[in-house]
Amino acid sequence: MCGIVGYIGPREAYPIIIEGLKRLEYRGYDSAGIALFDGNDLKVAKTKGKVVDLEAIVEKEITTNGKVGIGHTRWATHGVPNDVNSHPHVSNSGNLAIIHNGIIENYESLKQELISRGYTFKSDTDTEVLVNLIEDVQKQQKLKLGKAVQAALNQVVGAYAIAVFDKNKPDEIVVARLGSPLAVGIGPKEDEFFIASDASPFLEYTKNVVYLEDEEMAVIRFHKPIKIRKIEDDSLVDTYVQELQINLEQIEKGGYDHFMLKEIHEQPKAITDTYRGRLVRNEAIIKMAGVEDNMKRFLNANRIIIVACGTSWHAGLVAEYIFEDLARIPVEVEYASEFRYRNPVITENDVVIAISQSGETADTLAAIKLAKSKGAFVFGVCNVVGSSIARESDAGAYTHAGPEIGVASTKAFTTQITVLTLIALRLARAKGTISSSDFRTHLLELEMIPKKVEKALESDANITTIANIYKDVSNFLYLGRGYNFPVALEGALKLKEISYIHAEGYPAAEMKHGPIALIDENMPIVVIATKKGHYEKVVSNIQEIKSRKGKIIGIVTEGDTQVRALADHVIEVPDTLESLSPLLTTIPLQLLSYHIAVMLGKNVDQPRNLAKSVTVE
Ligand code: F6R
């Protein structure tokens, strides 16, 4: 994880880097730092804490003028978050400054080698080893910085996105990437360059961006066109300049207190954007090029294996129900992190669907590389355009959720379910496992979901009252059945990650096989009990909870009376098909966790220990 930012050009680098780091704080926020060349010397400031803490330090410690600089916001992997372990790291001579996102796996052996040659280390980080390795190569082999970086990286095992500069040659920054994202923004006059983990830090300056691919590097110079080379053999690769389609408003809070709340409220639009142009109800068709072009692979598949992590894994679980129910294709849903390490049986007739908001999750990326090596067809469902998983997949379909900044995933989840539903419906139609009238009903209902999400959002005041009653408890249970079992898992995850209240999700019927022992008058239990599905069974489960004095918060269909008579509180959602109900039942659970976290004074958008994209194993 970690966010990196750099600038070289005619403007003052400091404000660009600081504002850029704030936009990248979703990637990590346990420490931050900056290195600037002020025209004479290298100035470095860094600190444990957030970018605002860095700003305070900078004001006291360094001058902020300079046209070249690099900055970093960290999510610790090697070494605890403290001032010394923060980036940038400077080489022993004081000449080179580096920022790094990723992990150098063989850093210990490289470090011992460097120590034997007289190098000393202040931090516990792998990054300080890398910057000294570059310096060592530079000195030993009398190389220019670019060549020295290249030679050093050829000795490194691991993952990185780096930016490094030499105070003796401050008209260039060297960047390289393997396994961690790195974007280079090219100023409109091609006389300035912006470096960042994603394009958000430089959106107001330029829309032209080059994404480095794995194993690529570039020496970025004032006023010189960017040239990209292969790290391994120095060969030149074509520079593909893309035009960004997102704008600044999309990555700002737009009047909401938190990104998470803004993103919860953006779901009607995000879902519409995701099915727009794909769901053509008048013609009763679904158009998805990635599916159409590979229809044979899908139809001949022995099974679909879904790999993902966290919330995306929950979307995968919902998809398992949809694919099996509608398209009658067997589905297995795997945690990407487990899948890759358990020697899974994968054949050429398997279709692997990788789901990832960021498209950068290291475990998911590794899982699809494994699947591809066994000949499986890999289909990516990502939100971030041009992300590593999107590029690594054989084909795919983007969710069009827009940038998701809040660390807790919300609109990514509902748009993933939207895309997966479209795919399942398209395949069901092609296989003939759905009647044409059911197909039309699904299209019609899916088209109405955004309006129904808006309706579900109207329960905000009711949910705030419920949040206030239960905000101080230590535990929560979430129960759901069928399509809504994964929603129960997702609701529990949302509460855990932003309020730090322990929560568990269970299939409602599984409760009596253990979790029921937890229930007493202090335990709030959120039960998803919408009309379609296993309503009567869930009502029985509610009775079981009631007789053990548990506090019931029912998520019910509008107009419900049966659960209302039993539950302590109910939150209504509009009626829809059972297969689409997760798109609605998840909304109150997002709001409940949001309000509880706000009432507890937690940092909703940047919960402790988390980062938005997990680019380490
Ligand atoms: C939960 C959350 C994480 C991510 C997980 C996968 O709110 O954000 O659990 O869902 O880290 O991330 P992506 O979807 O980017 O692969």
Side-chain angles (χ1 to χ4, degrees):
M1 318 197 321
C2 307
I4 66 176
V5 187
Y7 176 78
I8 185 164
R11 304 174 207 247
E12 286 299 311
Y14 177 70
I16 296 170
I17 294 171
I18 281 291
E19 290 312 310
L21 289 178
K22 286 181 187 162
R23 298 229 179 101
L24 290 184
E25 267 193 315
Y26 74 88
R27 302 181 61 85
Y29 35 82
D30 57 39
S31 51
I34 189 162
L36 298 165
F37 181 72
D38 69 359
N40 290 310
D41 208 354
L42 186 62
K43 303 283 180 199
V44 179
K46 49 192 199 171
T47 181
K48 180 174 184 241
K50 296 187 186 287
V51 179
V52 285
D53 303 310
L54 174 66
E55 277 180 295
I57 298 281
V58 167
E59 273 172 31
K60 279 192 241 141
E61 292 185 356
I62 62 169
T63 49
T64 57
N65 52 319
K67 317 278 186 202
V68 182
I70 53 179
H72 190 267
T73 176
R74 179 169 187 246
W75 187 83
T77 55
H78 287 67
V80 293
N82 61 24
D83 298 356
V84 176
N85 287 335
S86 310
H87 298 214
H89 288 281
V90 176
S91 62
N92 275 196
S93 70
N95 292 338
L96 307 186
I98 192 170
I99 46 175
H100 168 216
N101 168 25
I103 294 180
I104 307 300
E105 286 169 17
N106 59 338
Y107 84 106
E108 197 51 60
S109 59
L110 294 169
K111 186 172 183 175
Q112 293 315 318
E113 178 72 30
L114 289 166
I115 289 172
S116 74
R117 288 217 283 282
Y119 284 84
T120 56
F121 293 90
K122 295 188 190 120
S123 76
D124 308 317
T125 65
D126 48 349
T127 309
E128 195 185 8
V129 174
L130 180 58
V131 73
N132 281 303
L133 178 66
I134 296 168
E135 176 156 294
D136 191 53
V137 172
Q138 200 183 22
K139 281 189 183 151
Q140 303 284 330
Q141 302 180 29
K142 309 230 168 345
L143 295 175
K144 287 184 176 166
L145 183 62
K147 294 282 176 250
V149 169
Q150 189 172 29
L153 291 179
N154 279 320
Q155 297 181 41
V156 154
V157 178
Y160 49 78
I162 59 164
V164 50
F165 76 93
D166 183 342
K167 73 171 187 185
N168 296 316
K169 207 163 176 324
D171 58 347
E172 61 181 38
I173 299 180
V174 180
V175 295
R177 149 180 189 158
L178 176 62
S180 299
L182 199 143
V184 180
I186 303 171
K189 293 190 206 142
E190 297 193 34
D191 62 344
E192 60 181 342
F193 297 93
F194 306 82
I195 296 150
S197 300
D198 70 35
S200 58
F202 51 78
L203 269 181
E204 66 253 61
Y205 303 105
T206 182
K207 288 269 165 42
N208 297 330
V209 62
V210 173
Y211 291 99
L212 255 62
E213 299 283 344
D214 278 348
E215 296 171 23
E216 289 180 356
M217 63 174 294
V219 180
I220 296 174
R221 299 192 174 93
F222 265 130
H223 295 288
K224 295 264 173 66
I226 182 169
K227 282 191 184 152
I228 300 174
R229 293 178 184 276
K230 282 273 172 207
I231 296 169
E232 196 183 0
D233 58 10
D234 206 37
S235 55
L236 267 177
V237 291
D238 290 343
T239 306
Y240 172 49
V241 183
Q242 297 186 36
E243 198 182 322
L244 291 167
Q245 300 300 334
I246 48 172
N247 55 42
L248 205 53
E249 295 81 72
Q250 286 177 281
I251 57 162
E252 288 179 340
K253 281 191 205 149
Y256 287 92
D257 288 343
H258 298 96
F259 282 113
M260 183 182 177
L261 189 61
K262 176 185 173 225
E263 288 157 7
I264 290 173
H265 282 269
E266 278 174 351
Q267 288 174 108
K269 178 172 184 308
I271 294 169
T272 310
D273 289 346
T274 297
Y275 69 55
R276 180 177 292 126
R278 291 167 166 168
L279 187 169
V280 192
R281 189 170 50 80
N282 295 344
E283 296 171 36
I285 50 170
I286 287 171
K287 293 200 274 192
M288 298 181 90
V291 177
E292 233 50 61
D293 296 348
N294 298 287
M295 190 55 94
K296 271 203 186 130
R297 298 285 316 227
F298 277 106
L299 296 183
N300 294 337
N302 288 339
R303 58 180 176 162
I304 291 175
I305 305 170
I306 295 178
V307 291
C309 303
T311 290
S312 298
W313 183 76
H314 295 154
L317 288 178
V318 175
E320 179 179 22
Y321 285 85
I322 310 175
F323 277 104
E324 296 201 339
D325 197 6
L326 302 182
R328 310 300 300 148
I329 303 174
V331 177
E332 286 165 29
V333 188
E334 303 264 2
Y335 281 119
S337 54
E338 287 297 313
F339 180 73
R340 58 184 292 203
Y341 285 119
R342 65 166 180 73
N343 194 13
V345 179
I346 311 169
T347 70
E348 289 175 1
N349 288 331
D350 290 327
V351 168
V352 171
I353 299 184
I355 310 173
S356 174
Q357 186 287 128
S358 61
E360 300 296 343
T361 301
D363 286 318
T364 310
L365 191 55
I368 67 177
K369 285 185 176 161
L370 173 70
K372 273 177 83 174
S373 73
K374 307 270 184 201
F377 170 70
V378 175
F379 191 92
V381 175
C382 298
N383 190 39
V384 177
V385 175
S387 55
S388 303
I389 293 171
R391 290 200 308 252
E392 191 68 35
S393 302
D394 296 307
Y398 284 113
T399 52
H400 297 301
E404 192 181 64
I405 313 284
V407 164
S409 221
T410 52
K411 60 178 181 171
F413 181 64
T414 44
T415 53
Q416 286 164 347
I417 294 174
T418 304
V419 161
L420 293 159
T421 302
L422 289 169
I423 299 172
L425 282 167
R426 178 66 193 96
L427 297 181
R429 202 72 200 106
K431 286 187 73 184
T433 51
I434 190 168
S435 70
S436 90
S437 78
D438 270 359
F439 184 72
R440 280 171 189 275
T441 307
H442 273 83
L443 297 191
L444 183 65
E445 275 295 323
L446 188 51
E447 222 176 36
M448 277 162 30
I449 286 291
K451 279 266 163 285
K452 294 186 178 184
V453 172
E454 273 169 22
K455 194 84 206 307
L457 288 166
E458 286 172 14
S459 295
D460 194 58
N462 177 23
I463 296 169
T464 310
T465 308
I466 298 170
N468 198 32
I469 297 171
Y470 294 103
K471 66 179 189 306
D472 297 317
V473 303
S474 312
N475 298 288
F476 254 89
L477 269 180
Y478 286 74
L479 304 178
R481 289 186 85 136
Y483 279 92
N484 281 300
F485 157 53
V487 177
L489 295 179
E490 175 61 8
L493 178 64
K494 287 288 88 82
L495 188 71
K496 278 185 274 211
E497 50 184 354
I498 60 170
S499 72
Y500 319 144
I501 294 174
H502 174 243
E504 298 286 343
Y506 274 98
E510 192 61 21
M511 186 188 59
K512 54 188 164 299
H513 300 286
I516 200 163
L518 293 167
I519 295 176
D520 62 16
E521 66 279 11
N522 299 316
M523 174 71 90
I525 301 127
V526 178
V527 189
I528 305 165
T530 42
K531 277 274 186 234
K532 310 243 167 63
H534 313 271
Y535 183 70
E536 295 303 335
K537 302 269 179 217
V538 178
V539 171
S540 307
N541 298 137
I542 290 177
Q543 302 272 19
E544 290 156 11
I545 300 167
K546 182 104 182 134
S547 49
R548 283 155 187 92
K549 301 195 170 56
K551 298 281 182 287
I552 298 154
I553 303 166
I555 310 298
V556 298
T557 308
E558 269 170 1
D560 179 283
T561 51
Q562 210 176 339
V563 174
R564 187 177 284 272
L566 295 170
D568 297 86
H569 317 270
V570 291
I571 305 169
E572 292 190 338
V573 292
D575 191 23
T576 188
L577 299 175
E578 187 195 1
S579 57
L580 301 179
S581 62
L583 292 167
L584 301 180
T585 51
T586 198
I587 306 294
L589 308 194
Q590 294 169 346
L591 286 170
L592 183 65
S593 63
Y594 171 79
H595 287 301
I596 290 179
V598 171
M599 286 169 192
L600 294 176
K602 306 297 182 205
N603 187 338
V604 170
D605 283 334
Q606 295 175 350
R608 71 182 179 205
N609 304 339
L610 295 178
K612 186 70 186 160
S613 59
V614 185
T615 56
V616 294
E617 275 191 37

